Amino acid sequence: MKRPSSQHGPANGNGTARNGHAPEQVGQGSDESLMISAPGKVIVFGEHAVVYGKAAMAASISLRSYLLVTPSSSSRASVTLTFPDISLQHTWYLDDLPFADFKHPSKAKRFDEQVTVLDTDLVAAIKPHVANVSTHLPEKARHQHHAAASCFLYILLSLAAPAMSSYVYSLRSTIPIGAGLGSSASISVCIAAALLIQGNHITGTSTSNSASQAENTLDIINYWAFVGELCIHGNPSGVDNTVATKGKAVLFRRTKPGQSPQVTPLHDFPILPLLLVDTKQSRSTAAEVAKVGALNTAHPEVVTLILNGIDKITEEAHALISRPDYKADNPESLQRLGELIRMNHGLLVALSVSHPKLERVRELIDQADIGYTKLTGAGGGGCAITLLQPDATKDMLQNLERRLEQEGFAKYETTLGGQGVGVLSPPITGTAITQEDFLQVTGSQGIEGLMQAEKAGIWKYYSGGAA
């Protein structure tokens, strides 16, 4: 596939970008629909060690979020955000929103300008419009809805024109929410990409542009996805949105407290078969980090050795998959990577960040003899990942699934190291996915089935490739 284009300036009065090419996209006033998708992520190596300046590796997974943008027939210009997976739906009238605050010369940002800190005045300007969302819900659910609304409104008001047409923005996700799998970053990427396309800042279909232009487009999407993460989390690392935007994997390392980490894209990261198991055990990242901190205070020399060991594992894994002769389907290569995964888990257990449910998942998978397992993320609950062995049969996986379900765990068969943000190119003939289809389909399998159906069209990715 030819790579989607990147515009280097806003569209001019006749609807073409400054580079002279017509922007093949949904723009202001368009009556076309738009579908965007972005992946979740897992930490493959280096949890907790990254807090102490060591390297960690994160990779995309094939569980994804989807955003469908459809024109609205509202008699009064409005935007609606609907996210049935968390029971969120809210409509804002455009003439009520604080566009004037965001477009003021002292506040307005160029679409290709990197924003690293939210403007407190603009946060204050959207606050009453966020506060009106889901006022009938308990505080915990309302907080989740307010985070999504803040992300949406801040990016919308930054990138859209006050005279924009009415649209409905419908979100669905196959990524478990709150499990440390980058669901919020995936959603932020979808929102950022859609609003950049609608604002005629980037294109939404492939044209004959260079790899550097495609990379520039990805950087711009990533800038605004990070803004969404700022709205949701306050102090994000930037890793989740980078993986959700660019796909594949990244190596990241924190340099100094309070500074953004150094992020190195791993463009040659192989696509690997992965089993993801959600223990459904809630956990607190802050509590697990504090637990390691307390151990480090009590036993600094021992903990330093463990953290250095995790760092060496990450370095060896990076070196292994970076070798020119590395082949993901080679049993020996897979075994070496799997051994590193198991060792990383063992060292995390030594740091006391596992959980009985995570250990039970690992025990069941080891008994089935289908792969190499470790916890992913902060630990203390959450998810485990398993690099599957090539001889893991369908029957073996089905037997394991039954045992996992009996003990209250959720299993997802996915892949590691896939594509980043993508745009659906509808079929030339046939019926495209409707908003009704999109909102009524149930469960992760139903969503994925709808997205991959023949009538859906072809997914095209800024990083190259189609599916």
Side-chain angles (χ1 to χ4, degrees):
M1 167 190 143
K2 296 175 183 176
R3 299 175 187 270
S5 129
S6 165
Q7 305 300 342
H8 297 283
N12 62 28
N14 64 10
T16 61
R18 287 181 180 171
N19 62 8
H21 299 296
E24 301 175 90
Q25 60 201 22
V26 177
Q28 180 180 320
S30 169
D31 59 358
E32 296 180 26
S33 297
L34 173 67
M35 181 80 82
I36 305 289
S37 173
K41 73 92 180 65
V42 294
I43 304 296
V44 189
F45 295 103
E47 295 94 333
H48 289 283
V50 73
V51 176
Y52 296 87
K54 314 299 183 183
M57 187 185 296
S60 63
I61 53 176
S62 56
L63 301 179
R64 302 178 71 90
S65 296
Y66 299 90
L67 172 64
L68 175 63
V69 184
T70 49
S72 169
S73 57
S74 172
S75 58
R76 182 180 173 188
S78 64
V79 289
T80 296
L81 178 64
T82 180
F83 192 177
D85 300 317
I86 61 170
S87 303
L88 166 62
Q89 180 165 330
H90 192 85
T91 296
W92 295 271
Y93 292 114
L94 293 176
D95 55 10
D96 286 340
L97 292 175
F99 277 100
D101 297 84
F102 279 75
K103 304 306 178 185
H104 190 278
S106 66
K107 301 293 185 183
K109 301 293 184 183
R110 282 182 53 84
F111 76 92
D112 56 357
E113 183 177 351
Q114 187 170 10
V115 177
T116 57
V117 179
L118 297 179
D119 187 307
T120 54
D121 293 333
L122 299 182
V123 171
I126 66 171
K127 189 173 182 179
H129 304 278
V130 171
N132 288 333
V133 175
S134 304
T135 54
H136 62 290
L137 292 178
E139 183 178 352
K140 184 177 180 180
R142 193 166 66 247
H143 176 77
Q144 187 180 53
H145 289 193
H146 286 186
S150 297
C151 165
F152 174 69
L153 287 178
Y154 200 103
I155 300 175
L156 173 85
L157 293 166
S158 297
L159 295 175
M164 71 177 289
S165 300
S166 297
Y167 286 97
V168 177
Y169 298 82
S170 304
L171 281 160
R172 299 301 305 271
S173 185
T174 66
I175 307 166
I177 294 172
L181 301 176
S183 59
S184 67
S186 175
I187 289 164
S188 295
V189 169
C190 289
I191 290 171
L195 291 169
L196 284 162
I197 291 170
Q198 286 191 292
N200 290 347
H201 304 308
I202 63 173
T203 60
T205 59
S206 68
T207 55
S208 54
N209 283 275
S210 67
S212 63
Q213 288 175 312
E215 187 65 27
N216 182 62
T217 298
L218 288 170
D219 284 340
I220 292 168
I221 294 171
N222 198 29
Y223 292 163
W224 288 100
F226 182 72
V227 171
E229 285 284 87
L230 285 169
C231 293
I232 295 170
H233 294 296
N235 185 31
S237 68
V239 171
D240 287 13
N241 52 276
T242 300
V243 174
T245 301
K246 301 187 178 185
K248 288 296 184 181
V250 298
L251 198 69
F252 62 102
R253 185 189 302 270
R254 294 186 183 275
T255 49
K256 295 180 181 178
Q259 291 188 357
S260 298
Q262 296 174 343
V263 180
T264 305
L266 305 179
H267 298 295
D268 296 326
F269 190 90
I271 295 177
L272 298 167
L274 192 76
L275 186 70
L276 175 71
V277 179
D278 186 357
T279 65
K280 300 185 180 179
Q281 173 65 43
S282 61
R283 85 283 183 274
S284 164
T285 297
E288 299 305 312
V289 170
K291 192 185 295 183
V292 177
L295 269 180
N296 189 40
T297 300
H299 311 282
E301 292 184 4
V302 175
V303 170
T304 296
L305 288 172
I306 294 172
L307 296 174
N308 287 340
I310 293 174
D311 192 35
K312 290 297 182 184
I313 287 171
T314 305
E315 289 179 0
E316 186 171 333
H318 181 212
L320 175 64
I321 63 176
S322 299
R323 286 172 48 177
D325 61 344
Y326 180 83
K327 293 183 179 180
D329 57 354
N330 181 286
E332 184 179 342
S333 297
L334 201 65
Q335 180 180 343
R336 288 193 62 193
L337 194 62
E339 289 167 350
L340 293 171
I341 284 174
R342 280 180 174 163
M343 285 190 286
N344 195 163
H345 179 78
L347 292 178
L348 290 169
V349 171
L351 291 175
S352 300
V353 295
S354 188
H355 185 276
K357 288 187 177 182
L358 286 166
E359 293 309 305
R360 180 57 178 159
V361 168
R362 186 183 60 80
E363 182 182 14
L364 290 171
I365 292 170
D366 284 352
Q367 288 173 358
D369 194 26
I370 62 165
Y372 309 90
T373 302
K374 67 178 286 291
L375 67 84
T376 182
C383 295
I385 56 172
T386 298
L387 179 64
L388 291 172
Q389 294 174 348
D391 58 356
T393 66
K394 186 176 181 180
D395 285 345
M396 293 167 71
L397 288 168
Q398 287 177 341
N399 289 335
L400 174 63
E401 181 174 12
R402 282 193 291 270
R403 296 195 67 183
L404 290 168
E405 286 182 350
Q406 287 170 0
E407 301 200 24
F409 304 128
K411 176 187 77 73
Y412 303 86
E413 287 182 52
T414 180
T415 54
L416 196 65
Q419 296 279 9
V421 60
V423 181
L424 184 64
S425 178
I428 296 173
T429 60
T431 306
I433 295 170
T434 66
Q435 186 186 46
E436 184 178 11
D437 292 335
F438 188 66
L439 294 178
Q440 291 187 355
V441 68
T442 58
S444 296
Q445 290 185 342
I447 297 170
E448 289 293 350
L450 181 65
M451 293 300 103
Q452 302 304 326
E454 185 176 344
K455 76 172 186 177
I458 299 173
W459 283 99
K460 298 182 179 179
Y461 302 95
Y462 289 97
S463 56

